[in-house]
Amino acid sequence: MKKLLAVPTALMGLGMLLGSGSALAATTLTIGTVNNGDMVRMQALSKTYSEQHPDVELRWVVLDENTLRQRLTTDISTGGGQFDVVTIGAYEAPMWGRKSWLMPLEKFSPTYEVDDLMPNVRRQLTVDNKLYALPFYSEGSITFYRTDLFAAKGLKMPEEPTWTQIRGFAEKLHDPSKNVYGICLRGKAGWGENMALLTTMVNAFGGRWFDEKWEPQLTSPEWSQTVNFYVDLLSKFGPPGPSSNGFNENLTLFNAGKCAMWVDASVAGAFITDKTQSQVPDKVGFVKAPREVTPKGSSWLWTWALAVPSSSKQQQAAFDFIQWATSKEYSTLVAKKYGISAMPPGTRLSTYANAEYMKSTPFAKVTQEAIQTANPDSPTLKPVPYTGLQFVTIPEFQAIGTLVGKSLSGVLAGTSKADAELKSLNEQVQRTMKRAGYPKK
């Protein structure tokens, strides 16, 4: 497990700003967050919060997604108290809330407007009518594609493509001699990395993680078809070394103009249309995530949210900070600094009621539809005993998803064959579930 990372260079100015007044700071908040673009913006803009709260010092622990989850899970489950604010998602929030590991969020500031939070997002962070985290941004998975490359080949992207159609496009657009790859997809191991994509693909092909009796289904025809399709697609029409690529790596590739298509989190729209970051900001189209035999569960629903651990000794100050970071005021600050399309997506009804935002943001409509239509309570074609679209909302899934993600990343890298690996994984998952006492009575 990695030690705390140093504060990024971009934040040194914040540290210097606080340094002169640190002796006056009565409260120090330690914030654990992921190194995604929107969180980097939050860190930069937190200077405004510090100016408004000179008695609060902010200390940032910035980690990659997999390492962050390990650190936070260990600290929260043991009551370690290292963090005052944690960045978690729709997987952790309900389970940790039920275990009383998180502070229930009540008595909001009168200006916060909690009822402006999108209902489908708020529901993912709520247990027994109590909110345990506030959404920083939310996303569905959608398809990004290069409109100029499609036009040059005389191709037309459907509003609701299938994976079979996507493969056909990838074959026609793949041109590595010009540093253009037919498709970019997550291959990096992790239950929230490659398995987020692969689970929605399995859903789209009609599969599921478990049957109604909690028997794992990794040897089913649907899993075999999905994994073999995925490996073949990326091996033939993806960039070199796809097993090393997660969200951030594929974002870099797309921004460099090297991906003809990319299926991933809708939040990427703000970055690939940003002229300061992307080489193709005005050459991108947006449609729904691919389906295949069914649209059910073919797009994920995820929320990166901010919560306050019950072990924090600075709960009120931490609650004040997460209200600021998820407020309409903060969204306005982002819009002024980075442009209106950079406002945190998928969290507030008022964002999508803003005519200027909808007009200026080409990915807004498909993002809104993906979030509003996602149904974690009915994620698959066949019946299942669990909730969750790109994950299974049980404590054991973090370990299971990590195990399967690592193995299938190896399959993508060519170290093993898909069907043999799925057979072995099915047996391992079956043992894990039996040890955990499934099916629960």
Side-chain angles (χ1 to χ4, degrees):
M1 194 172 293
K2 295 181 181 179
K3 296 182 180 180
L4 299 187
L5 295 185
V7 177
T9 304
L11 302 179
M12 291 299 291
L14 174 58
M16 293 173 65
L17 174 72
L18 293 173
S20 60
S22 60
L24 302 176
T27 301
T28 298
L29 296 180
T30 302
I31 302 166
T33 195
V34 68
N35 62 345
N36 289 352
D38 283 274
M39 282 69 174
V40 172
R41 287 174 175 165
M42 174 175 63
Q43 295 158 37
L45 293 174
S46 65
K47 175 181 177 181
T48 299
Y49 183 85
S50 298
E51 290 170 349
Q52 296 170 354
H53 301 80
D55 58 332
V56 177
E57 179 181 356
L58 304 179
R59 290 183 180 173
W60 297 89
V61 179
V62 186
L63 303 167
D64 69 88
E65 186 171 324
N66 289 339
T67 307
L68 176 75
R69 287 191 166 116
Q70 286 182 330
R71 288 293 309 275
L72 294 186
T73 300
T74 299
D75 185 65
I76 292 288
S77 62
T78 60
Q82 292 184 42
F83 299 96
D84 302 293
V85 174
V86 293
T87 306
I88 60 174
Y91 171 74
E92 297 94 347
M95 291 191 297
W96 293 4
R98 286 190 186 94
K99 292 179 178 291
S100 300
W101 292 349
L102 301 174
M103 167 188 166
L105 305 178
E106 303 168 306
K107 298 181 180 178
F108 288 85
S109 162
T111 61
Y112 185 73
E113 298 186 36
V114 68
D115 290 335
D116 186 44
L117 299 178
M118 293 182 76
N120 206 17
V121 171
R122 183 174 176 177
R123 196 176 301 120
Q124 311 312 310
L125 308 174
T126 300
V127 178
D128 297 331
N129 296 318
K130 290 183 179 180
L131 197 57
Y132 282 92
L134 298 180
F136 182 67
Y137 72 77
S138 300
E139 63 190 28
S141 53
I142 64 175
T143 303
F144 308 98
Y145 69 99
R146 286 279 300 280
T147 54
D148 58 331
L149 299 180
F150 269 70
K153 293 284 187 178
L155 303 174
K156 181 174 175 56
M157 173 68 82
E159 291 295 318
E160 299 181 6
T162 66
W163 277 106
T164 299
Q165 289 173 321
I166 292 292
R167 189 191 187 283
F169 294 142
E171 184 174 6
K172 290 180 174 68
L173 296 166
H174 189 59
D175 192 355
S177 66
K178 295 182 180 178
N179 281 327
V180 174
Y181 307 104
I183 190 163
C184 295
L185 297 172
R186 297 188 188 193
K188 179 187 282 187
W191 72 263
E193 280 281 8
N194 63 340
M195 292 318 300
L197 173 73
L198 272 165
T199 299
T200 58
M201 289 184 70
V202 169
N203 294 342
F205 277 79
R208 52 187 175 171
W209 270 96
F210 301 97
D211 68 11
E212 301 95 315
K213 297 181 180 179
W214 289 102
E215 285 292 328
Q217 299 295 294
L218 278 74
T219 53
S220 67
E222 293 88 354
W223 269 87
S224 175
Q225 185 181 5
T226 301
V227 175
N228 280 290
F229 177 93
Y230 162 81
V231 171
D232 179 73
L233 177 64
L234 275 180
S235 298
K236 289 181 178 176
F237 311 120
S243 62
S244 299
N245 295 339
F247 172 82
N248 286 325
E249 292 80 8
N250 283 319
L251 174 61
T252 299
L253 286 169
F254 198 98
N255 279 347
K258 295 183 178 181
C259 305
M261 294 180 292
W262 180 29
V263 180
D264 213 298
S266 56
V267 70
F271 300 100
I272 63 179
T273 57
D274 183 347
K275 294 179 181 179
T276 67
Q277 300 185 45
S278 174
Q279 295 180 26
V280 292
D282 55 350
K283 300 174 183 176
V284 187
F286 309 87
V287 294
K288 292 183 179 181
R291 57 183 67 194
E292 190 60 21
V293 302
T294 179
K296 290 194 71 173
S298 59
S299 172
W300 69 60
L301 175 61
W302 182 254
T303 298
W304 277 118
L306 302 178
V308 180
S310 298
S311 54
S312 168
K313 295 180 173 60
Q314 313 288 351
Q315 289 189 3
Q316 186 56 52
F319 184 33
D320 289 343
F321 175 80
I322 69 172
Q323 286 186 85
W324 173 81
T326 60
S327 65
K328 292 172 71 172
E329 171 196 356
Y330 175 82
S331 291
T332 301
L333 195 62
V334 172
K336 287 181 179 178
K337 177 71 173 178
Y338 300 102
I340 193 168
S341 292
M343 288 169 59
T347 59
R348 289 188 169 271
L349 295 169
S350 55
T351 300
Y352 295 88
N354 184 328
E356 183 184 356
Y357 177 81
M358 297 300 287
K359 182 180 179 181
S360 305
T361 309
F363 53 88
K365 186 173 183 291
V366 69
T367 297
Q368 183 183 23
E369 289 177 355
I371 291 171
Q372 289 180 334
T373 58
N375 186 0
D377 295 328
S378 181
T380 55
L381 185 62
K382 297 176 182 178
V384 291
Y386 59 83
T387 61
L389 290 159
Q390 76 276 27
F391 54 82
V392 179
T393 313
I394 57 173
E396 294 77 16
F397 183 76
Q398 188 163 345
I400 290 171
T402 300
L403 168 72
V404 176
K406 183 177 181 180
S407 294
L408 297 187
S409 187
V411 172
L412 182 60
T415 60
S416 56
K417 298 295 184 182
D419 290 332
E421 202 66 31
L422 288 170
K423 183 176 185 296
S424 174
L425 287 167
N426 200 76
E427 294 170 353
Q428 294 178 71
V429 174
Q430 193 172 47
R431 288 195 293 270
T432 297
M433 296 301 283
K434 285 185 177 179
R435 283 197 300 267
Y438 288 84
K440 303 284 188 181
K441 294 182 180 180

